[in-house]
């Protein structure tokens, strides 16, 4: 279930603004606030089935956007590549420290690059 929540959160972050206000609200309550279908139906004054239909229809739309545009997959791929860059950079830094006398300017540049890559991962 956790994976589904993360997946839907990412899809909603990327494509949520393309949904109707009602679909956005229902998905936010269901996934973002962890409300049950019953709680949402009481809040919205509609049947539980209507809420379920809204959730399923909105999920389907989000998945269709992802299939067509692939923005979430591209985001995940980019994040993984940045993590790999950071690992390589840290490896290079260790090798540099083992092989050369400490050059503070180069060490500062290593730190600057690591800082930038970490900031990219925190998007």
């Amino acid at each position: 279930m956790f994976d589904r929540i993360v997946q839907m959160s990412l899809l909603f972050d990327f494509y949520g603004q393309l949904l109707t206000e009602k679909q956005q609200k229902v998905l936010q309550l269901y996934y973002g606030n962890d409300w049950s279908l019953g709680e949402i139906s009481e809040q919205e004054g509609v049947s539980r089935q209507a809420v379920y239909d809204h959730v399923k229809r909105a999920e389907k739309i989000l998945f269709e956007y992802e299939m067509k545009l692939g923005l979430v997959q591209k985001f995940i791929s980019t994040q993984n590549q940045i993590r790999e860059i950071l690992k390589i950079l840290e490896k290079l830094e260790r090798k540099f420290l083992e092989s050369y006398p400490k050059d503070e300017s180069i060490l500062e540049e290593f730190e600057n690059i690591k800082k930038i890559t970490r900031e990219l991962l925190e998007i």
Side-chain angles (χ1 to χ4, degrees):
M1 183 65 177
F2 178 73
D3 291 335
R4 177 69 169 193
I5 293 170
V6 171
Q7 181 181 36
M8 291 308 302
S9 293
L10 281 170
L11 289 171
F12 188 80
D13 287 346
F14 278 85
Y15 307 114
Q17 293 298 311
L18 301 173
L19 298 173
T20 66
E21 287 183 26
K22 183 75 167 179
Q23 290 168 330
Q24 289 178 37
K25 184 175 183 180
V26 169
L27 282 186
Q28 184 59 41
L29 292 172
Y30 188 70
Y31 285 107
N33 297 1
D34 197 28
W35 283 23
S36 69
L37 296 175
E39 290 170 322
I40 298 169
S41 70
E42 285 180 28
Q43 172 74 23
E44 297 300 306
V46 297
S47 71
R48 187 180 178 283
Q49 183 63 45
V51 173
Y52 176 82
D53 291 343
H54 275 310
V55 168
K56 291 302 170 191
R57 192 173 316 120
E59 287 175 347
K60 182 179 185 242
I61 291 168
L62 293 177
F63 280 111
E64 287 173 354
Y65 282 133
E66 177 59 15
M67 284 178 55
K68 291 176 182 172
L69 302 173
L71 298 177
V72 173
Q73 186 55 45
K74 178 71 173 168
F75 173 77
I76 291 168
S77 175
T78 301
Q79 293 289 296
N80 289 335
Q81 289 171 332
I82 293 169
R83 282 187 190 89
E84 191 60 32
I85 289 169
L86 187 57
K87 286 178 190 176
I88 292 167
L89 179 63
E90 289 170 343
K91 184 179 174 181
L92 285 173
E93 183 180 29
R94 283 191 302 275
K95 285 184 176 187
F96 175 80
L97 288 171
E98 291 170 1
S99 303
Y100 298 98
K102 289 187 179 178
D103 181 334
E104 291 301 318
S105 65
I106 293 176
L107 291 175
E108 283 179 31
E109 294 303 325
F110 274 119
E111 288 305 315
N112 287 336
I113 296 169
K114 289 192 302 187
K115 179 183 175 203
I116 292 167
T117 55
R118 287 186 182 111
E119 287 172 358
L120 287 170
L121 290 171
E122 293 176 9
I123 293 174

